PDB file of all heavy atoms in Angstrom:
ATOM      1  N   LYS A 317     -17.524   3.153  12.090  1.00 94.00           N
ATOM      2  CA  LYS A 317     -18.549   2.333  12.737  1.00 94.00           C
ATOM      3  C   LYS A 317     -19.936   2.918  12.587  1.00 94.00           C
ATOM      4  O   LYS A 317     -20.934   2.183  12.701  1.00 94.00           O
ATOM      5  CB  LYS A 317     -18.215   2.205  14.234  1.00 94.00           C
ATOM      6  CG  LYS A 317     -16.971   1.412  14.564  1.00 94.00           C
ATOM      7  CD  LYS A 317     -16.762   1.390  16.070  1.00 94.00           C
ATOM      8  CE  LYS A 317     -15.538   0.585  16.469  1.00 94.00           C
ATOM      9  NZ  LYS A 317     -15.304   0.558  17.890  1.00 94.00           N
ATOM     10  N   ASP A 327     -22.073  16.405   5.140  1.00 97.00           N
ATOM     11  CA  ASP A 327     -23.103  15.818   4.263  1.00 97.00           C
ATOM     12  C   ASP A 327     -24.419  15.795   5.025  1.00 97.00           C
ATOM     13  O   ASP A 327     -24.547  16.291   6.138  1.00 97.00           O
ATOM     14  CB  ASP A 327     -22.669  14.419   3.802  1.00 97.00           C
ATOM     15  CG  ASP A 327     -23.020  13.340   4.786  1.00 97.00           C
ATOM     16  OD1 ASP A 327     -23.188  13.626   6.001  1.00 97.00           O
ATOM     17  OD2 ASP A 327     -23.146  12.154   4.388  1.00 97.00           O
ATOM     18  N   CYS A 334     -31.386   7.122  10.589  1.00 94.00           N
ATOM     19  CA  CYS A 334     -32.038   7.467  11.865  1.00 94.00           C
ATOM     20  C   CYS A 334     -33.355   8.225  11.626  1.00 94.00           C
ATOM     21  O   CYS A 334     -34.106   8.461  12.594  1.00 94.00           O
ATOM     22  CB  CYS A 334     -31.085   8.294  12.721  1.00 94.00           C
ATOM     23  SG  CYS A 334     -30.614   9.852  12.054  1.00 94.00           S
ATOM     24  N   ARG A 348     -27.467   9.131   1.472  1.00 98.00           N
ATOM     25  CA  ARG A 348     -26.710  10.223   1.937  1.00 98.00           C
ATOM     26  C   ARG A 348     -26.245  11.089   0.753  1.00 98.00           C
ATOM     27  O   ARG A 348     -26.121  10.576  -0.343  1.00 98.00           O
ATOM     28  CB  ARG A 348     -25.463   9.773   2.754  1.00 98.00           C
ATOM     29  CG  ARG A 348     -25.740   8.683   3.766  1.00 98.00           C
ATOM     30  CD  ARG A 348     -24.566   8.558   4.747  1.00 98.00           C
ATOM     31  NE  ARG A 348     -24.427   9.794   5.474  1.00 98.00           N
ATOM     32  CZ  ARG A 348     -25.072  10.050   6.597  1.00 98.00           C
ATOM     33  NH1 ARG A 348     -25.942   9.146   7.077  1.00 98.00           N
ATOM     34  NH2 ARG A 348     -24.913  11.145   7.247  1.00 98.00           N
ATOM     35  N   ARG A 358     -23.230  11.073  -3.841  1.00 98.00           N
ATOM     36  CA  ARG A 358     -24.428  10.487  -3.294  1.00 98.00           C
ATOM     37  C   ARG A 358     -24.226   9.020  -2.991  1.00 98.00           C
ATOM     38  O   ARG A 358     -23.576   8.318  -3.783  1.00 98.00           O
ATOM     39  CB  ARG A 358     -25.630  10.713  -4.196  1.00 98.00           C
ATOM     40  CG  ARG A 358     -26.975  10.311  -3.554  1.00 98.00           C
ATOM     41  CD  ARG A 358     -28.082  10.547  -4.596  1.00 98.00           C
ATOM     42  NE  ARG A 358     -28.200  11.958  -4.982  1.00 98.00           N
ATOM     43  CZ  ARG A 358     -28.912  12.361  -6.049  1.00 98.00           C
ATOM     44  NH1 ARG A 358     -29.547  11.518  -6.790  1.00 98.00           N
ATOM     45  NH2 ARG A 358     -28.938  13.670  -6.327  1.00 98.00           N
ATOM     46  N   ILE A 365     -28.848  -6.466  -5.457  1.00 97.00           N
ATOM     47  CA  ILE A 365     -28.431  -5.714  -6.670  1.00 97.00           C
ATOM     48  C   ILE A 365     -29.616  -5.343  -7.528  1.00 97.00           C
ATOM     49  O   ILE A 365     -29.533  -4.343  -8.251  1.00 97.00           O
ATOM     50  CB  ILE A 365     -27.390  -6.574  -7.450  1.00 97.00           C
ATOM     51  CG1 ILE A 365     -26.779  -5.688  -8.566  1.00 97.00           C
ATOM     52  CG2 ILE A 365     -28.056  -7.833  -8.000  1.00 97.00           C
ATOM     53  CD1 ILE A 365     -26.057  -4.446  -8.062  1.00 97.00           C
ATOM     54  N   GLN A 371     -35.083  -0.498  -8.408  1.00 96.00           N
ATOM     55  CA  GLN A 371     -35.774   0.096  -9.567  1.00 96.00           C
ATOM     56  C   GLN A 371     -36.179   1.507  -9.296  1.00 96.00           C
ATOM     57  O   GLN A 371     -36.160   2.367 -10.207  1.00 96.00           O
ATOM     58  CB  GLN A 371     -37.030  -0.765  -9.837  1.00 96.00           C
ATOM     59  CG  GLN A 371     -36.714  -2.117 -10.488  1.00 96.00           C
ATOM     60  CD  GLN A 371     -37.987  -2.953 -10.738  1.00 96.00           C
ATOM     61  OE1 GLN A 371     -38.741  -3.209  -9.762  1.00 96.00           O
ATOM     62  NE2 GLN A 371     -38.241  -3.308 -11.954  1.00 96.00           N
ATOM     63  N   ILE A 374     -33.087   3.609  -9.886  1.00 96.00           N
ATOM     64  CA  ILE A 374     -32.830   3.798 -11.285  1.00 96.00           C
ATOM     65  C   ILE A 374     -33.827   4.773 -11.921  1.00 96.00           C
ATOM     66  O   ILE A 374     -33.469   5.587 -12.777  1.00 96.00           O
ATOM     67  CB  ILE A 374     -32.932   2.389 -12.000  1.00 96.00           C
ATOM     68  CG1 ILE A 374     -31.766   1.499 -11.556  1.00 96.00           C
ATOM     69  CG2 ILE A 374     -32.904   2.554 -13.519  1.00 96.00           C
ATOM     70  CD1 ILE A 374     -31.850   0.073 -12.074  1.00 96.00           C
ATOM     71  N   SER A 390     -22.584  -5.118  -4.812  1.00 97.00           N
ATOM     72  CA  SER A 390     -23.642  -5.793  -3.962  1.00 97.00           C
ATOM     73  C   SER A 390     -23.414  -7.224  -4.083  1.00 97.00           C
ATOM     74  O   SER A 390     -23.588  -7.822  -5.197  1.00 97.00           O
ATOM     75  CB  SER A 390     -25.033  -5.371  -4.460  1.00 97.00           C
ATOM     76  OG  SER A 390     -25.994  -5.918  -3.634  1.00 97.00           O
ATOM     77  N   LYS A 418     -27.542   0.092 -18.618  1.00 93.00           N
ATOM     78  CA  LYS A 418     -27.052   0.243 -19.974  1.00 93.00           C
ATOM     79  C   LYS A 418     -28.084   0.923 -20.863  1.00 93.00           C
ATOM     80  O   LYS A 418     -27.766   1.599 -21.841  1.00 93.00           O
ATOM     81  CB  LYS A 418     -26.729  -1.140 -20.540  1.00 93.00           C
ATOM     82  CG  LYS A 418     -25.958  -1.129 -21.878  1.00 93.00           C
ATOM     83  CD  LYS A 418     -24.511  -0.791 -21.630  1.00 93.00           C
ATOM     84  CE  LYS A 418     -23.734  -0.966 -22.914  1.00 93.00           C
ATOM     85  NZ  LYS A 418     -22.312  -0.621 -22.748  1.00 93.00           N
ATOM     86  N   SER A 419     -29.362   0.792 -20.534  1.00 93.00           N
ATOM     87  CA  SER A 419     -30.452   1.294 -21.401  1.00 93.00           C
ATOM     88  C   SER A 419     -30.591   2.779 -21.358  1.00 93.00           C
ATOM     89  O   SER A 419     -31.128   3.405 -22.267  1.00 93.00           O
ATOM     90  CB  SER A 419     -31.730   0.643 -21.051  1.00 93.00           C
ATOM     91  OG  SER A 419     -32.191   0.973 -19.733  1.00 93.00           O
ATOM     92  N   PRO A 422     -25.801   7.719 -20.056  1.00 93.00           N
ATOM     93  CA  PRO A 422     -25.078   8.251 -21.218  1.00 93.00           C
ATOM     94  C   PRO A 422     -23.774   7.491 -21.411  1.00 93.00           C
ATOM     95  O   PRO A 422     -23.228   6.853 -20.483  1.00 93.00           O
ATOM     96  CB  PRO A 422     -24.769   9.678 -20.769  1.00 93.00           C
ATOM     97  CG  PRO A 422     -25.745   9.995 -19.688  1.00 93.00           C
ATOM     98  CD  PRO A 422     -26.009   8.703 -19.009  1.00 93.00           C
ATOM     99  N   GLU A 437     -11.969 -16.026   7.695  1.00 87.00           N
ATOM    100  CA  GLU A 437     -12.405 -17.399   7.924  1.00 87.00           C
ATOM    101  C   GLU A 437     -13.543 -17.394   8.976  1.00 87.00           C
ATOM    102  O   GLU A 437     -14.438 -18.187   8.846  1.00 87.00           O
ATOM    103  CB  GLU A 437     -11.208 -18.202   8.431  1.00 87.00           C
ATOM    104  CG  GLU A 437     -11.565 -19.717   8.610  1.00 87.00           C
ATOM    105  CD  GLU A 437     -10.311 -20.519   8.940  1.00 87.00           C
ATOM    106  OE1 GLU A 437      -9.222 -19.927   9.066  1.00 87.00           O
ATOM    107  OE2 GLU A 437     -10.460 -21.738   9.200  1.00 87.00           O
ATOM    108  N   GLU A 447     -33.628 -11.760  10.456  1.00 54.00           N
ATOM    109  CA  GLU A 447     -34.623 -10.692  10.612  1.00 54.00           C
ATOM    110  C   GLU A 447     -35.699 -11.153  11.612  1.00 54.00           C
ATOM    111  O   GLU A 447     -36.027 -12.364  11.652  1.00 54.00           O
ATOM    112  CB  GLU A 447     -35.290 -10.358   9.276  1.00 54.00           C
ATOM    113  CG  GLU A 447     -34.258  -9.733   8.296  1.00 54.00           C
ATOM    114  CD  GLU A 447     -34.969  -9.350   7.028  1.00 54.00           C
ATOM    115  OE1 GLU A 447     -35.965  -8.570   7.113  1.00 54.00           O
ATOM    116  OE2 GLU A 447     -34.559  -9.759   5.949  1.00 54.00           O
ATOM    117  N   ALA A 511      -6.967   0.995   4.599  1.00 97.00           N
ATOM    118  CA  ALA A 511      -7.473   0.203   3.488  1.00 97.00           C
ATOM    119  C   ALA A 511      -8.437   1.044   2.605  1.00 97.00           C
ATOM    120  O   ALA A 511      -8.410   1.014   1.409  1.00 97.00           O
ATOM    121  CB  ALA A 511      -8.127  -1.074   3.903  1.00 97.00           C
ATOM    122  N   HIS A 522      -8.123   4.866 -11.496  1.00 96.00           N
ATOM    123  CA  HIS A 522      -8.826   4.220 -12.580  1.00 96.00           C
ATOM    124  C   HIS A 522      -9.710   5.267 -13.306  1.00 96.00           C
ATOM    125  O   HIS A 522      -9.800   5.225 -14.505  1.00 96.00           O
ATOM    126  CB  HIS A 522      -9.710   3.085 -12.022  1.00 96.00           C
ATOM    127  CG  HIS A 522     -10.429   2.340 -13.094  1.00 96.00           C
ATOM    128  ND1 HIS A 522      -9.757   1.415 -13.909  1.00 96.00           N
ATOM    129  CD2 HIS A 522     -11.672   2.342 -13.544  1.00 96.00           C
ATOM    130  CE1 HIS A 522     -10.616   0.891 -14.750  1.00 96.00           C
ATOM    131  NE2 HIS A 522     -11.781   1.425 -14.574  1.00 96.00           N
ATOM    132  N   ASP A 534       2.337  18.234 -10.370  1.00 47.00           N
ATOM    133  CA  ASP A 534       2.274  19.585 -10.935  1.00 47.00           C
ATOM    134  C   ASP A 534       0.952  20.300 -10.612  1.00 47.00           C
ATOM    135  O   ASP A 534       0.906  21.501 -10.628  1.00 47.00           O
ATOM    136  CB  ASP A 534       2.437  19.511 -12.470  1.00 47.00           C
ATOM    137  CG  ASP A 534       3.804  18.942 -12.831  1.00 47.00           C
ATOM    138  OD1 ASP A 534       4.740  19.047 -12.003  1.00 47.00           O
ATOM    139  OD2 ASP A 534       3.921  18.420 -13.975  1.00 47.00           O
ATOM    140  N   ASP A 544       5.377   8.446  -4.433  1.00 36.00           N
ATOM    141  CA  ASP A 544       6.473   8.544  -3.486  1.00 36.00           C
ATOM    142  C   ASP A 544       5.927   8.861  -2.158  1.00 36.00           C
ATOM    143  O   ASP A 544       6.300   9.841  -1.533  1.00 36.00           O
ATOM    144  CB  ASP A 544       7.488   9.614  -4.001  1.00 36.00           C
ATOM    145  CG  ASP A 544       8.711   9.627  -3.117  1.00 36.00           C
ATOM    146  OD1 ASP A 544       9.019   8.606  -2.489  1.00 36.00           O
ATOM    147  OD2 ASP A 544       9.411  10.669  -3.030  1.00 36.00           O
ATOM    148  N   LYS A 548       4.533   8.317   4.009  1.00 39.00           N
ATOM    149  CA  LYS A 548       3.326   8.966   4.490  1.00 39.00           C
ATOM    150  C   LYS A 548       2.364   8.020   5.150  1.00 39.00           C
ATOM    151  O   LYS A 548       1.832   8.281   6.217  1.00 39.00           O
ATOM    152  CB  LYS A 548       2.634   9.685   3.330  1.00 39.00           C
ATOM    153  CG  LYS A 548       1.394  10.449   3.717  1.00 39.00           C
ATOM    154  CD  LYS A 548       0.800  11.132   2.501  1.00 39.00           C
ATOM    155  CE  LYS A 548      -0.452  11.923   2.872  1.00 39.00           C
ATOM    156  NZ  LYS A 548      -1.067  12.579   1.731  1.00 39.00           N
ATOM    157  N   GLU A 579     -34.561   7.279  20.270  1.00 41.00           N
ATOM    158  CA  GLU A 579     -35.837   7.353  19.576  1.00 41.00           C
ATOM    159  C   GLU A 579     -35.591   7.855  18.189  1.00 41.00           C
ATOM    160  O   GLU A 579     -34.803   8.807  18.009  1.00 41.00           O
ATOM    161  CB  GLU A 579     -36.824   8.221  20.321  1.00 41.00           C
ATOM    162  CG  GLU A 579     -37.276   7.694  21.622  1.00 41.00           C
ATOM    163  CD  GLU A 579     -38.146   6.426  21.400  1.00 41.00           C
ATOM    164  OE1 GLU A 579     -38.820   6.349  20.404  1.00 41.00           O
ATOM    165  OE2 GLU A 579     -38.103   5.544  22.280  1.00 41.00           O
ATOM    166  N   PRO A 600     -19.145  31.283 -15.739  1.00 34.00           N
ATOM    167  CA  PRO A 600     -20.425  31.733 -16.230  1.00 34.00           C
ATOM    168  C   PRO A 600     -21.056  30.891 -17.312  1.00 34.00           C
ATOM    169  O   PRO A 600     -22.238  31.021 -17.588  1.00 34.00           O
ATOM    170  CB  PRO A 600     -20.127  33.151 -16.738  1.00 34.00           C
ATOM    171  CG  PRO A 600     -18.669  33.075 -17.128  1.00 34.00           C
ATOM    172  CD  PRO A 600     -18.050  32.157 -16.101  1.00 34.00           C
ATOM    173  N   ASP A 619     -17.973  26.366 -26.665  1.00 39.00           N
ATOM    174  CA  ASP A 619     -17.043  27.237 -27.342  1.00 39.00           C
ATOM    175  C   ASP A 619     -15.752  27.359 -26.588  1.00 39.00           C
ATOM    176  O   ASP A 619     -15.701  27.294 -25.369  1.00 39.00           O
ATOM    177  CB  ASP A 619     -17.654  28.661 -27.571  1.00 39.00           C
ATOM    178  CG  ASP A 619     -18.905  28.591 -28.441  1.00 39.00           C
ATOM    179  OD1 ASP A 619     -18.974  27.617 -29.248  1.00 39.00           O
ATOM    180  OD2 ASP A 619     -19.738  29.468 -28.284  1.00 39.00           O
ATOM    181  N   ARG A 646     -14.763  -1.544 -23.602  1.00 43.00           N
ATOM    182  CA  ARG A 646     -14.318  -1.714 -24.945  1.00 43.00           C
ATOM    183  C   ARG A 646     -14.537  -0.497 -25.837  1.00 43.00           C
ATOM    184  O   ARG A 646     -13.949  -0.324 -26.841  1.00 43.00           O
ATOM    185  CB  ARG A 646     -15.075  -2.913 -25.546  1.00 43.00           C
ATOM    186  CG  ARG A 646     -14.797  -4.230 -24.879  1.00 43.00           C
ATOM    187  CD  ARG A 646     -15.476  -5.365 -25.666  1.00 43.00           C
ATOM    188  NE  ARG A 646     -15.180  -6.654 -25.089  1.00 43.00           N
ATOM    189  CZ  ARG A 646     -15.881  -7.214 -24.117  1.00 43.00           C
ATOM    190  NH1 ARG A 646     -16.912  -6.578 -23.629  1.00 43.00           N
ATOM    191  NH2 ARG A 646     -15.574  -8.390 -23.613  1.00 43.00           N
ATOM    192  N   ARG A 649     -14.982   6.892 -24.480  1.00 53.00           N
ATOM    193  CA  ARG A 649     -15.906   7.877 -23.979  1.00 53.00           C
ATOM    194  C   ARG A 649     -15.406   9.283 -24.267  1.00 53.00           C
ATOM    195  O   ARG A 649     -14.241   9.556 -24.052  1.00 53.00           O
ATOM    196  CB  ARG A 649     -16.095   7.748 -22.437  1.00 53.00           C
ATOM    197  CG  ARG A 649     -16.592   6.417 -22.001  1.00 53.00           C
ATOM    198  CD  ARG A 649     -16.753   6.492 -20.492  1.00 53.00           C
ATOM    199  NE  ARG A 649     -17.204   5.187 -19.949  1.00 53.00           N
ATOM    200  CZ  ARG A 649     -16.377   4.177 -19.619  1.00 53.00           C
ATOM    201  NH1 ARG A 649     -15.097   4.359 -19.778  1.00 53.00           N
ATOM    202  NH2 ARG A 649     -16.855   3.078 -19.168  1.00 53.00           N
ATOM    203  N   HIS A 662       3.368   9.508 -25.304  1.00 49.00           N
ATOM    204  CA  HIS A 662       4.310   8.472 -25.005  1.00 49.00           C
ATOM    205  C   HIS A 662       4.469   8.293 -23.520  1.00 49.00           C
ATOM    206  O   HIS A 662       4.468   9.295 -22.795  1.00 49.00           O
ATOM    207  CB  HIS A 662       5.696   8.787 -25.661  1.00 49.00           C
ATOM    208  CG  HIS A 662       5.618   8.996 -27.133  1.00 49.00           C
ATOM    209  ND1 HIS A 662       5.518   7.947 -28.002  1.00 49.00           N
ATOM    210  CD2 HIS A 662       5.575  10.093 -27.888  1.00 49.00           C
ATOM    211  CE1 HIS A 662       5.416   8.382 -29.276  1.00 49.00           C
ATOM    212  NE2 HIS A 662       5.513   9.708 -29.210  1.00 49.00           N
ATOM    213  N   ALA A 665       9.319   7.987 -18.464  1.00 49.00           N
ATOM    214  CA  ALA A 665      10.410   7.015 -18.224  1.00 49.00           C
ATOM    215  C   ALA A 665      10.125   6.094 -17.113  1.00 49.00           C
ATOM    216  O   ALA A 665      10.547   4.943 -17.095  1.00 49.00           O
ATOM    217  CB  ALA A 665      11.711   7.811 -17.928  1.00 49.00           C
TER     218      ALA A 665
END
Side-chain angles (χ1 to χ4, degrees):
K317 293 179 179 180
D327 84 337
C334 63
R348 315 195 64 86
R358 189 181 298 166
I365 191 57
Q371 287 177 303
I374 294 174
S390 183
K418 191 76 172 178
S419 65
E437 185 175 358
E447 297 184 53
H522 185 75
D534 296 337
D544 186 24
K548 182 178 179 181
E579 291 295 327
D619 297 333
R646 296 186 178 89
R649 300 182 182 87
H662 301 285

